[in-house]
Amino acid sequence: MDTAYLIETIIKVVVVLLIFSALAGIGTYFERKILAFMQRRLGPMNVGPYGLLQVAADGIKLFTKEDIIPTNVVGRIFKIAPVITAATAFMAAAAIPFLPQFELFGYTVHPIIADVNIGILYILGIMGVGLYGPLLGGMASANKFSLLSAARSAAVFISYEVVTGLSILAPIMMVGSLSLIDFNEYQSGGFGDWIVWSQPVAFILFWIAAFAETGRTPFHLVANDHEIIDGFGTEYSGMRWGLFFIGEYANMFFISFVIPLLFLGGYGDGSFLGALGLLAKMSFFFFFFLWTRAAWPDVRPDQLMWLCWKVLMPIAVINIVITGFVMMF
Amino acid sequence: MKNTEVFNNRNVSENGYYLVDIADYPTDGWGKFKRVVKRTFRGELFVGLWVVLREMIKFDIHTIQYPQEKMPIGPRYRAVHEMKRLWESDAERCIGCGLCEKICISNCIKMDTRIDEHSRKEVSEYTINLGRCIFCGYCAEVCPELAITHGGEYEQASEQREHFVDYSYMLTPLDKMKAGTQVEFEGFGSITPHEDERVKKTPLAY
Ligand code: SF4
Ligand code: SF4
């Protein structure tokens, strides 16, 4: 492994970390604004022009707040849990090609940190590990509502891992590779080549499961909204709570990248227009997360389980079987 | 300011209220299955999405930015008291009768009077403890001179529960009087409109 490659990778890691930590902050601004507009409010207006500096104010608040470790919590696990959430969210980013490769000062940059040939498996696996953040945080909190929420989110995450995995299996069979770059190449022919046309069911299943994986409304069961407390994060304060938050928003951004890469042609042929297209698609999926939050109510946990095991999983299996038959004959 | 609500029609049966048509819940498995399929393909979720998107595009924001903008309040609103002056002479209307102090049910008016150099009774001390005042309006109603009334100033903050306003604070300033901008209170205790036409002469001959 030569030095140039090492330096390039480190630079890419730092850039991705910085951009997406900042985006996670700005994401909260977008979320507040869009939710506000949809509910005919104005949202944050006072800090900076149109409330733009609200993000900075929140950041300062989170960083300077006292880091409270309550009595009776299991200290070490309590402290490490938010780090797991944030770290796994960013680790998943390693296998995502954010842009097509481009030339910078005569040097070809691949905007993917590691083009591992099991990219999708890696991303799903890391996102699965992300479950330990809420789970350990809730279990270590010495608060029964945190514990309830942690158990519930664990159940949701594990169940919807199944749907995610099964729904993605059919496209993987068609492409014959687990690398996101290969997925993109497969669809690079243009609009008609998008996998969503041949696998609409898988697309919708994956999209639905993405809501559960990121814990967003209508599957926002990680927070105990109906118990009027904030779920597994109840006992957390300051930057530890902020890490949970950054993890959640970074996850939303990464999933919003993964869905178009898998189903909607990614960055297409790799031209500048294709790159813009990927960003536009990503923005739409991120916007959709906020949109549903304004429009839809949360479902009950039992309804969520019912949806997963009795509806989505059978459909995913049938989809795989049909895909297999079509490919065989 | 447009009036957005019809306040005087409280008859709910005429306001378009109707019973929502709720179908019976299915009891058997097949019925439940049919309901799931029907709900799945009826696209209700998209109706919800469209409604919020439409509101966002219309951008018809219904909130006001409070400290900079304020909602208009009714002329009968009972907020912090005011002391009025006579229109003819700009003199204070209050004659120091003490009725308001007497009637105040939360005992928050405290006043004192003295005889001034023209041998007239004059208010020397007058405070209202707004921390105790319940803004019932009795003082404004009992006042024989329409001197103490309520005003529209509802923003009062203080560091402690006792919060006193005194006579000079409530009294209409002289320059406002000169400009003729003193506003009569229309609420509790004020004279009804067209009172002149309805008033009768006292019959002296029995
Ligand atoms: S409004 Fe009622 S409570 Fe307040 S000062 Fe007048 S009589 Fe007293
Ligand atoms: S009732 Fe009216 S006139 Fe009498 S003391 Fe009170 S404010 Fe003055």
Side-chain angles (χ1 to χ4, degrees), chain B residues 83 93-100 111 126 142-145 147-148:
Chain B
M83 278 288 178
R93 285 187 194 173
C94 178
I95 52 172
C97 69
L99 281 175
C100 49
M111 65 183 294
Y126 194 108
V142 79
C143 178
E145 298 294 313
I148 187 166

Side-chain angles (χ1 to χ4, degrees), chain B residues 113-150:
Chain B
T113 52
R114 63 184 168 93
I115 309 288
D116 72 354
E117 55 269 26
H118 310 298
S119 294
R120 293 191 65 217
K121 200 175 184 185
E122 182 197 60
V123 180
S124 55
E125 307 283 345
Y126 194 108
T127 55
I128 298 182
N129 181 354
L130 292 182
R132 292 187 60 105
C133 174
I134 58 167
F135 300 97
C136 61
Y138 281 10
C139 49
E141 186 182 13
V142 79
C143 178
E145 298 294 313
L146 300 179
I148 187 166
T149 66
H150 285 286

Side-chain angles (χ1 to χ4, degrees), chain A residues 68 70 77-82 133 136-138 140-141 232-238 240-241 244:
Chain A
I68 302 171
I77 297 177
F78 183 84
K79 285 183 204 163
I80 200 77
L136 294 181
S141 273
F232 61 87
T234 307
E235 299 289 342
Y236 283 89
S237 61
R240 285 190 205 280
W241 183 83
F244 273 132

